[in-house]
Amino acid sequence: MTSAVLSTPAPPVTAAPSARRAVRRWLFVVAALVVAMVAVGGATRLTGSGLSITEWKPVTGAVPPLSAAAWEQEFAKYRATPQYQLLNKGISLSEFQVIYGWEWGHRFLGRLLGLAFFLPLVWFWWTGRLDRRLGLGLLGLGLLGGLQGAVGWIMVASGLQPGMTAVAPIKLMLHLTLASLIYAGLVWFATGLDREADERIPGRLRVTAAALAGLVLLQIALGGLVAGSKAGLTYNTWPLMDGALIPPLSGLFAVTPWIENFVDNVALVQFNHRLVAYLLLAVALLHLIDARRTAPRTRAERRAGVMLGLVAAQALLGITTLLLAVPLWAGLAHQVAAMLVLGMAVVHARLGTLFRA
C-alpha cells in the first residue's frame, strides 16, 4: 500500500468518560425508537389506518377517546372523509377503533420520541456533558424532528382531500426520508462518540463507504414512493418485469408530462427501485473486494463484509415481498430491515473517518 492512497490521519481519540458513554447509549436508544416509529408507521400504512384521525392536535390528541360519545364523535369525522365514502363505507365502530388505534399509536410514539430526545438533551447540555459542536448538531436533529411532525400532518391532510383515499406518494416519501435522515444523524453522532479508532485505511474505502450510505438513503426514498403509489402490488414477478428485464419505454413513460412518471407511474416507480437495488448490491460487492485487497484483516474489511451480507439479505426480502404481493409481515420486515441496513452503513462510514496515526 502506498502513501498516495492514504489520507492525513486524525489525532488519536482519547478514552471515553462515563458521561460520554451515557450520551452514546441515549442516542442509540432514541435511534431504536425511530426504528420503532418507522415500523408502526409502516403498519399504519399497510393496514390503511393513516387517515382515521382527521385532525392534528399535538397536545390534546395525546389522549384517545375515553367514552362512547367521544368514539362516536371521532367516527363521525371519519365517515365524512373520502376514504370512508369510497373504500370503507359501512365499517363498524369496532373496525374503526382498530384502524384508529394504529394511527393513534403512531402519533403517540412520535410524542414519546420527542420527550425521549429533548428532555435528556436539555439535561446533558445543562450538566456540561455535550460540547458546543455536538450540542448544536443534536439541536439541529431535534428541529428536523419537529419538521417531521409537521410533514406528517401535511401528508395526512393530502389524503383527506376530495377524491383521495390515501396520502400523496411524494409526501409519504418525504416523511419516510426525513425519518431516515434523523435516524442516520443519531447513529452518526452516537458512533463518533469516543470510539476506538480504526486502522489506517485507503481514503477510497472511506469514500465508497459514504457512497453506500447515500445509496441506501436513496433506495429508502424510492421505497417510500413504491409504498405511497402501491407499486408493489403490480408487476409481481422477478427478475422479469412485465415480461422483460427492461420494460418498454412506452410503459415506463406513459404519463404526460414525462417528469410525473417518476412519481405517478407505478411501472417506472417500481423499476427505479429495482435498478437502485442492483446498483447498491454491486457497489457493496466491489467495496468488499476492494477492502480485502487494500485493507485485509482490518475492522473496515469485516464491516464491508457485513454490509454486503445485509444488502443481499434485504434484496432477497424485497424480492419475497414483491412475489407475495406485499403481505403485512413482509412489508414491515422489509421496511425495518432497510433501517438496519442504513444504520450499519452509517456506522461503517462514520468509523471510517476515525483512524490511527
Side-chain angles (χ1 to χ4, degrees):
M1 185 186 305
T2 64
S3 59
V5 297
L6 301 178
S7 300
T8 303
V13 179
T14 57
S18 59
R20 302 284 276 187
R21 288 196 298 270
V23 172
R24 186 169 65 241
R25 286 194 294 267
W26 159 61
L27 291 176
F28 277 128
V29 167
V30 176
L33 284 175
V34 174
V35 175
M37 183 81 176
V38 169
V40 175
T44 300
R45 175 183 56 81
L46 289 167
T47 56
S49 306
L51 302 178
S52 57
I53 301 180
T54 60
E55 297 173 318
W56 189 34
K57 298 179 178 179
V59 179
T60 58
V63 181
L66 299 176
S67 66
W71 273 115
E72 285 294 343
Q73 185 179 28
E74 290 299 314
F75 193 22
K77 294 174 185 176
Y78 178 66
R79 289 198 299 268
T81 65
Q83 187 188 67
Y84 175 84
Q85 295 293 332
L86 298 173
L87 289 183
N88 292 335
K89 196 165 188 177
I91 66 170
S92 65
L93 175 61
S94 61
E95 290 172 317
F96 168 70
Q97 287 172 327
V98 171
I99 62 174
Y100 186 99
W102 277 114
E103 176 63 9
W104 181 85
H106 184 54
R107 297 190 188 194
F108 180 79
L109 188 55
R111 294 180 175 94
L112 178 63
L113 181 57
L115 291 176
F117 178 80
F118 279 107
L119 292 182
L121 174 64
V122 171
W123 170 254
F124 284 133
W125 210 337
W126 181 263
T127 56
R129 302 184 188 193
L130 302 177
D131 58 49
R132 187 173 182 272
R133 183 177 180 181
L134 177 59
L136 290 176
L138 292 176
L139 182 59
L141 282 183
L143 295 176
L144 198 61
L147 175 63
Q148 170 74 330
V151 168
W153 171 246
I154 291 171
M155 177 189 69
V156 170
S158 72
L160 298 174
Q161 299 303 310
M164 296 290 291
T165 60
V167 301
I170 192 72
K171 292 175 182 176
L172 187 143
M173 180 200 74
L174 180 59
H175 191 52
L176 178 60
T177 304
L178 274 176
S180 301
L181 285 171
I182 293 168
Y183 169 69
L186 290 166
V187 174
W188 178 271
F189 284 125
T191 303
L193 275 174
D194 301 321
R195 297 297 294 265
E196 183 181 357
D198 247 2
E199 300 92 346
R200 199 178 187 199
I201 59 175
R204 183 177 65 252
L205 289 181
R206 291 195 297 277
V207 171
T208 52
L212 275 171
L215 278 174
V216 174
L217 271 172
L218 173 61
Q219 181 68 334
I220 288 173
L222 292 174
L225 278 179
V226 170
S229 62
K230 295 182 172 57
L233 300 178
T234 57
Y235 306 106
N236 300 105
T237 59
W238 187 87
L240 301 183
M241 180 179 169
D242 198 20
L245 283 174
I246 302 176
L249 291 179
S250 58
L252 295 177
F253 292 93
V255 177
T256 303
W258 69 271
I259 192 68
E260 293 185 4
N261 287 279
F262 290 92
V263 176
D264 297 329
N265 185 341
V266 294
L268 186 59
V269 166
Q270 188 187 126
F271 186 62
N272 286 338
H273 194 50
R274 292 189 185 205
L275 283 182
V276 175
Y278 300 147
L279 176 62
L280 184 56
L281 191 59
V283 173
L285 175 60
L286 292 174
H287 180 60
L288 175 59
I289 293 172
D290 194 18
R292 287 185 173 176
R293 186 175 64 85
T294 61
R297 295 178 297 280
T298 62
R299 286 188 294 273
E301 183 209 0
R302 290 193 291 272
R303 290 197 306 271
V306 173
M307 269 302 303
L308 177 60
L310 288 175
V311 169
Q314 173 69 336
L316 289 174
L317 182 55
I319 293 168
T320 301
T321 303
L322 177 69
L323 296 178
L324 297 177
V326 198
L328 178 61
W329 69 267
L332 285 181
H334 191 50
Q335 189 159 313
V336 172
M339 302 303 287
L340 298 181
V341 175
L342 175 61
M344 182 62 208
V346 172
V347 168
H348 183 38
R350 182 67 180 105
L351 289 179
T353 67
L354 307 173
F355 58 100
R356 295 192 184 96

